[in-house]
Amino acid sequence: MNRQFLLNARPVGDIKQTDFKMIETAMPEPGADEVLVQVQYLAVEPAMRGWMENRADYVAPLEIGDLMRGWGAGKVIESNNARYPVGTIVSGSFGWQEYVVSDGKTIPLQAVPEGVETPASMGVLGITGMTAYFGMLHIGKPVAGDTVLVSGAAGATGSVAGQLARIAGARVVGMAGTKEKCDWLTEELGYDAAINYREEDVAAAVKQHCPDGINVYYDNVGGEILDIALARIATNARVVICGGISRYNLTGEIPGPKNYFNLVFRRARMEGFICGDYASQFGEAVEVLSGYLKSGELKHRETILDGFENTPEALKSLFSGSNMGKQLVRVAD
């Protein structure tokens, strides 16, 4: 049997287990030019909360009863396609299910690079890695001597974005919600400083660690933190709007930045982006990031929850901030 999770209800406030419905369907069988993939890992993203809502966005919303959308990686266990022999590890938009059939086009398949562990491929070489790469390097454009501030810095995207800024020669300050996460940023990832936003006066800490202002702010949270960062931007700063996890579960009117006009005073730029707009350049990013992984310049961590049935719980955990690095679900060994 093939277990799947379907969208069962639109979320109101925090995501609930009852927003999902797990069903069992017949095992899919590969046809001509198709392969059968046994999913080994599923990735969860904060953006999934938006896909579950009934609103058009950069992608069409899920309908009630739809298979939950999501990225996965797994092993080809049956193959009628010479490009993907049995044993090949591939990734793609598999959705929340244990088995998937594809000819490599209906669901585009990407072979995991040789020598790269599957969990790493889901984070650093997956959608979050692509998001960090293009957001930081193509929009933020840090250079040697810049001060870069990253919110959500211990998450899947923030942890990679900050390291890319460090590799570019910038001075990097990260924000995270626990001492353990802050220590990871400074002691392992090479951040110059870390701010514990749960325990410190964030505005005072930003002023302390960014005394000459912020040249690049990579925003993953929005809300009050965005206001604090905008108050400290330097002349010609670049503010990269990547995510807004502080607002995803809010109901009612969503507050915007109060001091956006500082962009005018500092002749600065604030820009949002969608990772998929850079799809034609993903090959470039994978090559660069793979090189940093192999050289040891880029480090990663995954938080892995075992069991397909726990996939909704893994998504819920993103909004409590319990994960470090990429949040994955191990579906099969």
Side-chain angles (χ1 to χ4, degrees):
M1 301 298 291
N2 180 30
R3 292 187 295 175
Q4 300 177 320
F5 269 109
L6 312 182
L7 178 64
N8 190 53
R10 303 289 183 193
V12 178
D14 294 342
I15 294 173
K16 305 174 185 64
Q17 185 73 30
T18 52
D19 293 335
F20 309 94
K21 179 181 180 181
M22 188 169 72
I23 65 169
E24 290 185 349
T25 64
M27 175 77 74
E29 297 183 2
D33 295 323
E34 292 184 331
V35 299
L36 175 63
V37 178
Q38 181 183 28
V39 178
Q40 296 176 318
Y41 291 92
L42 289 173
V44 294
E45 328 286 349
M48 290 174 171
R49 174 64 171 71
W51 302 342
M52 295 166 68
E53 296 178 3
N54 188 22
R55 58 181 172 84
D57 212 321
Y58 62 93
V59 293
L62 291 165
E63 299 296 336
I64 301 297
D66 281 354
L67 176 70
M68 272 297 296
R69 186 183 295 146
W71 196 262
K75 179 185 290 188
V76 175
I77 58 173
E78 292 184 34
S79 177
N80 298 320
N81 189 315
R83 292 184 60 193
Y84 307 103
V86 170
T88 304
I89 305 298
V90 294
S91 62
S93 184
F94 296 159
W96 287 16
Q97 58 184 337
E98 294 180 292
Y99 296 90
V100 64
V101 161
S102 175
D103 61 0
K105 298 176 183 177
T106 52
I107 299 176
L109 301 177
Q110 299 179 15
V112 173
E114 187 175 348
V116 175
E117 296 179 353
T118 305
S121 75
M122 296 287 287
V124 178
L125 302 185
I127 294 300
T128 46
M130 300 299 102
T131 302
Y133 182 90
F134 292 105
M136 181 60 78
L137 300 185
H138 284 230
I139 299 176
K141 298 181 179 179
V143 297
D146 276 350
T147 293
V148 175
L149 178 66
V150 181
S151 61
T157 300
S159 60
V160 176
Q163 291 183 83
L164 291 174
R166 186 209 72 221
I167 291 169
R171 181 175 174 275
V172 185
V173 180
M175 292 187 191
T178 67
K179 182 179 185 302
E180 180 187 11
K181 291 180 178 181
C182 288
D183 289 345
W184 180 52
L185 296 178
T186 56
E187 295 174 9
E188 293 189 42
L189 303 192
Y191 280 59
D192 294 277
I195 298 168
N196 186 334
Y197 68 84
R198 295 185 191 273
E199 297 183 0
E200 298 183 57
D201 179 328
V202 177
V206 170
K207 183 177 181 179
Q208 174 190 347
H209 295 299
C210 308
D212 298 321
I214 302 164
N215 301 105
V216 179
Y217 174 50
Y218 196 100
D219 184 35
N220 288 301
V221 301
E224 182 184 2
I225 300 295
L226 175 57
D227 272 332
I228 291 171
L230 287 175
R232 293 293 305 169
I233 54 175
T235 301
N236 301 129
R238 288 83 69 199
V239 178
V240 183
I241 304 298
C242 176
I245 200 166
S246 69
R247 54 165 281 180
Y248 291 159
N249 288 337
L250 293 180
T251 57
E253 187 175 357
I254 297 173
K258 303 180 185 70
N259 56 354
Y260 73 93
F261 214 71
N262 208 29
L263 296 165
V264 176
F265 300 147
R266 302 301 177 203
R267 283 82 77 197
R269 173 169 52 88
M270 182 161 68
E271 183 175 347
F273 73 104
I274 299 299
C275 178
D277 294 342
Y278 295 89
S280 63
Q281 301 174 66
F282 278 7
E284 162 206 321
V286 168
E287 183 177 354
V288 172
L289 294 170
S290 296
Y292 289 150
L293 279 175
K294 292 174 182 177
S295 69
E297 292 179 273
L298 185 60
K299 303 181 186 302
H300 62 93
R301 181 178 290 188
E302 294 79 37
T303 299
I304 300 176
L305 188 61
D306 281 305
F308 176 76
E309 64 279 3
N310 293 318
T311 308
E313 193 62 37
L315 178 58
K316 289 164 60 179
S317 73
L318 292 181
F319 299 94
S320 64
S322 60
N323 65 297
M324 290 180 65
K326 185 70 177 180
Q327 177 69 61
L328 302 176
V329 176
R330 182 160 33 223
V331 178
D333 290 331

